[in-house]
Amino acid sequence: MASDICCDLAVHTILSGSIDEQLKRRLGQSLVITFDGPDPNIELRTLVENYHVGSIFLTAGNFRDASQAARLIRNIQEIGQSAGDVHPQLIAIQQESGLASHFSNGLQATQFPSPLGLAAGQSTITTHNVGEAIGRELASVGINWNFAPVIDVLTDLTEPLDASRRFGDATETVGDYALAFTKGLHSGGVASCVTEALGTLIQEVYRRSLADEELDLDALISMEEGELYPLQQLIENESLDSVLLSSSIYDLGDTIRGSQSVQFVIQHILRGRLGFTGPVISDCSGFPLDSDICVKHAPLRALLSGSDMVKLSSDYPTQLASIQAIYAAAQSSRLSVSTIASTTFRTSTLRFQHLPQPPFLPLPTFISSHSSLALAAYRASITVLTRNPSPLLLLPQSSILLLLTPTLPSNTPLPSDPFEPLGLALSQIHSRIRHVPYTLTSTLTPIHVAFLQRCAAVVFVLCNTSSALIEAQEEVVQMVEGVLQERERVGGERIGRVVLGAGDPREVIGMDSAGWWGACCYESTRGALETAAEVVMGVRQATGRIPIRQHGQ
């Protein structure tokens, strides 16, 4: 169905005869692919050997441990070399830190705080050091390109699950911390690719195009100055290696006008006004196969719109169809010789100019040396929302402390019970911890009510994954509060209330006015939860500050 929709490109993408081998090698440098499993499969071998694909994007499913990761990447490089490719493979990953970490799960490599947690720690030096540590660990197994950091600001439209991937809601903060993180990656031997860039600007150009409004370049730049600030920071400091455009920018409704809007922003603003000379990558892997977007022609559309590289669909037949369409466009000169030459130059520059030799120390050596940095960064990130000391500080050891944690959806990138480390850490300080999960789709059970009737204090963890569940989460909080208030009304005793935000901090802000002592750790990783336990129990003072100006913290 989708292939019939993209008729404007379909008539230009019929391959006639064979294509020149040298041209295939050049075009292959513009392609980024993914594959399944911990070993090179037949599809990967075919794409590298026959189509000279030059970049491989790895995900968590490609890893078992550090030694396997290094072996896998060596095998990928050897496949490219045996195919006669003179360019080394770009081996990419999304390693933002926090939950968005395909490699560092605390076992394969070091787990560091999320971008929002790093900004809460109020130290660009620590952020640089974390970026460098991540770079060294990635480089030690052969990964040389990191799709990070996110340079979009946190807004009211940001989903709770994505909040911790941003450095804050102020463009200056995002620019400063993105620069520190990126420079750290460079020091560690890895190139960066900033993500979530230029989306708002492209949508504004598209809106004006539909309304036939004049595209005043100065007015556009002035209007979107905030979005452009992080990019300007990176470019001025020679720290912007590459830029990733989200697949959502090609799903604007009018496909042709949308592509023209993308092209306008890349050519006239990113390159023309900001002076960026590196490669632009378009993510064309996010479209479902039944999308109204023509999935197989989306990569070609991105290249024609000014991108230098394209991340292909994960579906192998679609990958082949996309490559054939690109070949046909090059053969017919729809994809011009000058365009191909420019993209080849930019991708080659990324490979050779920004990729120093990785260090030769084994990964376990780095993990050992980075553990103290990770601990210090996590401790610096923990934030308290109230000036009063924790109500758990003087809690008698004989009393019950009830820990209520959410049951997260199965599609969340977390273990089945990510909050077990929090319960264990609390039990190291207080002897009578009762850990009872709750769900956002049902009411409190008799077990919840029974423990609420017996406990001396409650630690309620908020970790919402979707804005659609915010109302349900508020209802659970109200039910817990209702039980506690009734108990206090009858018995006259005050029950300690602590709320811990293990995700989007906006969920916690304001609960202190309802009598809850609040803290934030920004993510539900082991490092964040274990360090938060110290603050929640009052044995360590928090120094973090929520990097969100709109809530006045």
Side-chain angles (χ1 to χ4, degrees):
M1 179 186 72
S3 59
D4 296 329
I5 296 173
C6 197
C7 58
D8 64 305
L9 289 183
V11 296
H12 297 283
T13 54
I14 301 174
L15 190 62
S16 175
S18 59
I19 189 168
D20 177 73
E21 186 69 16
Q22 188 60 35
L23 180 56
K24 285 176 66 175
R25 292 183 185 276
R26 288 187 172 186
L27 293 173
Q29 301 310 300
S30 293
L31 306 177
V32 183
I33 63 165
T34 60
F35 70 98
D36 295 326
D39 300 297
N41 57 24
I42 186 62
E43 289 84 3
L44 171 71
R45 292 182 179 276
T46 300
L47 290 167
V48 174
E49 291 175 347
N50 297 348
Y51 299 94
H52 305 287
V53 167
S55 303
I56 313 297
F57 186 90
L58 301 178
T59 63
N62 297 123
F63 301 121
R64 287 178 180 158
D65 53 52
S67 60
Q68 172 270 331
R71 185 170 60 253
L72 167 66
I73 293 166
R74 283 197 303 269
N75 290 341
I76 293 173
Q77 295 289 11
E78 289 169 358
I79 293 170
Q81 291 170 5
S82 65
D85 293 335
V86 296
H87 299 288
Q89 291 282 338
L90 282 172
I91 307 296
I93 196 171
Q94 181 190 11
Q95 194 75 5
E96 297 172 5
S97 72
L99 288 176
S101 301
H102 286 287
F103 188 53
S104 62
N105 59 3
L107 299 174
Q108 296 159 335
T110 308
Q111 184 82 59
F112 290 103
S114 66
L116 199 61
L118 290 172
Q122 306 172 80
S123 173
T124 54
I125 295 175
T126 297
T127 302
H128 176 280
N129 293 340
V130 167
E132 181 175 2
I134 290 173
R136 289 187 181 279
E137 294 189 4
L138 294 179
S140 72
V141 297
I143 297 171
N144 49 31
W145 195 19
N146 189 10
F147 278 36
V150 171
I151 60 168
D152 192 15
V153 297
L154 192 154
T155 71
D156 289 337
L157 299 178
T158 304
E159 280 290 319
L161 191 60
D162 289 330
S164 66
R165 298 176 57 212
R166 286 149 175 79
F167 288 111
D169 68 345
T171 55
E172 297 84 359
T173 300
V174 173
D176 293 345
Y177 280 85
L179 177 61
F181 187 86
T182 301
K183 282 191 169 183
L185 287 176
H186 292 166
S187 298
V190 171
S192 69
C193 180
V194 300
T195 66
E196 306 288 337
L198 298 173
T200 303
L201 184 56
I202 290 170
Q203 290 177 5
E204 176 60 22
V205 171
Y206 175 74
R207 185 196 66 77
R208 295 190 181 199
S209 173
L210 289 180
D212 292 323
E213 296 180 16
E214 181 182 359
L215 293 177
D216 186 318
L217 202 56
D218 292 324
L220 278 169
I221 292 175
S222 177
M223 178 180 179
E224 302 298 338
E225 184 178 5
E227 184 185 21
L228 295 176
Y229 177 80
L231 286 171
Q232 289 175 316
Q233 274 278 81
L234 292 164
I235 292 171
E236 290 172 2
N237 287 275
E238 299 181 348
S239 297
L240 186 62
D241 300 326
S242 52
V243 176
L244 179 71
L245 302 182
S246 167
S247 59
S248 63
I249 65 172
Y250 295 99
D251 194 12
L252 296 173
D254 186 322
T255 304
I256 296 177
R257 285 181 183 264
S259 299
Q260 291 171 343
S261 301
V262 174
Q263 187 174 34
F264 180 89
V265 171
I266 292 175
Q267 290 184 352
H268 295 285
I269 297 180
L270 182 61
R271 299 206 186 283
R273 283 298 182 91
L274 300 185
F276 178 57
T277 59
V280 175
I281 302 92
S282 279
D283 185 358
C284 300
S285 65
F287 304 117
L289 295 180
D290 59 351
S291 169
D292 289 340
I293 298 294
C294 180
V295 180
K296 74 175 183 180
H297 287 144
L300 172 59
R301 187 176 302 283
L303 293 175
L304 293 172
S305 300
S307 290
D308 303 286
M309 305 175 74
V310 285
K311 185 167 178 272
L312 302 184
S313 164
S314 59
D315 177 69
Y316 181 63
T318 305
Q319 290 174 340
L320 295 180
S322 296
I323 294 172
Q324 293 296 323
I326 293 170
Y327 283 178
Q331 190 182 61
S332 68
S333 297
R334 178 71 187 270
L335 193 61
S336 68
V337 173
S338 61
T339 297
I340 296 171
S342 297
T343 59
T344 301
F345 174 77
R346 293 188 187 109
T347 57
S348 298
T349 300
L350 177 66
R351 283 177 166 81
F352 292 112
Q353 185 173 336
H354 295 289
L355 300 180
Q357 288 295 317
F360 295 101
L361 290 175
L363 180 56
T365 302
F366 285 128
I367 294 176
S368 176
S369 64
H370 294 156
S371 59
S372 59
L373 171 63
L375 178 60
Y378 271 119
R379 283 180 170 170
S381 71
I382 308 301
T383 308
V384 168
L385 280 69
T386 49
R387 297 181 182 275
N388 299 327
S390 168
L392 308 183
L393 178 60
L394 301 178
L395 190 68
Q397 287 288 334
S398 60
S399 59
I400 293 176
L401 174 58
L402 178 61
L403 173 62
L404 296 175
T405 62
T407 301
L408 300 181
S410 58
N411 62 347
T412 306
L414 292 167
S416 57
D417 185 7
F419 301 104
E420 183 179 359
L422 176 60
L424 293 173
L426 290 173
S427 68
Q428 297 297 312
I429 305 171
H430 188 81
S431 58
R432 300 193 68 189
I433 303 294
R434 299 296 182 265
H435 183 182
V436 184
Y438 67 89
T439 67
L440 297 179
T441 56
S442 63
T443 186
L444 295 181
T445 67
I447 294 176
H448 293 112
V449 175
F451 277 113
L452 287 168
Q453 295 286 3
R454 294 169 52 202
C455 67
V458 178
V459 175
F460 192 97
V461 176
L462 296 177
C463 187
N464 198 356
T465 59
S466 170
S467 58
L469 297 174
I470 290 178
E471 185 174 339
Q473 185 164 257
E474 291 175 347
E475 290 178 358
V476 176
V477 173
Q478 291 171 3
M479 286 187 285
V480 170
E481 180 65 22
V483 175
L484 296 179
Q485 286 184 3
E486 177 62 18
R487 181 181 166 190
E488 291 171 341
R489 185 186 67 80
V490 174
E493 57 181 326
R494 173 65 182 172
I495 311 301
R497 293 165 172 79
V498 171
V499 59
L500 175 63
D504 189 342
R506 295 172 296 180
E507 301 173 332
V508 183
I509 296 173
M511 288 191 65
D512 55 328
S513 61
W516 289 78
W517 187 89
C520 295
C521 64
Y522 305 99
E523 62 192 69
S524 50
T525 59
R526 176 182 293 272
L529 295 172
E530 289 179 344
T531 51
E534 301 173 323
V535 172
V536 164
M537 294 303 301
V539 300
R540 180 178 292 277
Q541 185 175 359
T543 60
R545 184 178 179 85
I546 295 179
I548 301 179
R549 295 183 306 179
Q550 62 188 17
H551 290 282
Q553 210 257 354

